[in-house]
Amino acid sequence: TPDAYSPHPPHGIYAATLDSRGRLHLPAVVEGFPRSRSPEGHLFVTTLDQKTGQIYPPQTWAAAARGLGESTAHRKAARDLLFAPTIWENVCIDPTGRLLLPKGVRDALATSQRRVHLVCNESGSVSIHSQEQMEQKLAASRDTYADAGDTLFE
């Protein structure tokens, strides 16, 4: 029931899988927040950088879209996004916790692997990263930590 879902956005990074039809299987902790907002599990899915996917609850997307439209630097990007329907779509989580990613988002992830990583943000949005992208981010993180050495936490 919707009452069982958390009203708080999850934080952290969670493994997930894409099936052969392009459906993303959401971990229960990630699925719970949008379902607490909308029992039907309505979400807005897009790619803004053509590399990663983004999942937004409707309220979070509305605020992000307003911010894009108000920013002089991003106004053209916001207009262009409206004319790229293959890279955004309103979707619903199905009863088994899956959502069908738009083709443009699947193409942007460019992954032949079924495993992806969901990075959950405080706003309730979720970024979708391929395994390759996460390995690159982890390597960069290790390099940054190695460069900072013991002074990082002083």
Side-chain angles (χ1 to χ4, degrees):
T1 66
D3 293 338
Y5 296 118
S6 173
H8 306 290
H11 297 123
I13 301 172
Y14 301 90
T17 57
L18 278 170
D19 69 17
S20 60
R21 295 182 182 170
R23 295 176 297 194
L24 178 65
H25 296 252
L26 295 173
V29 67
V30 177
E31 177 188 357
F33 178 66
R35 287 221 192 257
S36 75
R37 302 285 189 217
S38 164
E40 298 82 22
H42 290 285
L43 296 167
F44 184 85
V45 180
T46 189
T47 177
L48 299 174
D49 63 4
Q50 298 295 304
K51 297 176 190 168
T52 59
Q54 286 85 33
I55 303 170
Y56 295 93
Q59 304 89 338
T60 306
W61 173 249
R66 274 193 307 277
L68 277 174
E70 293 168 0
S71 167
T72 305
H74 297 104
R75 195 165 286 137
K76 182 181 180 326
R79 279 195 313 267
D80 291 349
L81 182 63
L82 294 174
F83 293 100
T86 60
I87 62 168
W88 63 267
E89 192 170 326
N90 289 304
V91 298
C92 288
I93 302 171
D94 74 13
T96 63
R98 300 176 301 188
L99 58 95
L100 180 63
L101 295 181
K103 181 180 179 345
V105 174
R106 293 191 308 264
D107 292 347
L109 289 169
T111 182
S112 58
Q113 299 180 2
R114 295 172 42 137
R115 187 175 182 87
V116 295
H117 298 272
L118 306 178
V119 179
C120 300
N121 305 302
E122 290 180 19
S123 67
S125 66
V126 177
S127 298
I128 310 166
H129 299 268
S130 69
Q131 180 70 30
E132 298 86 358
Q133 290 169 331
M134 287 305 292
E135 288 171 4
Q136 291 170 359
K137 288 179 181 298
L138 288 171
S141 175
R142 282 191 297 271
D143 292 345
T144 300
Y145 180 73
D147 291 344
D150 294 332
T151 63
L152 186 62
F153 295 105
E154 289 181 348

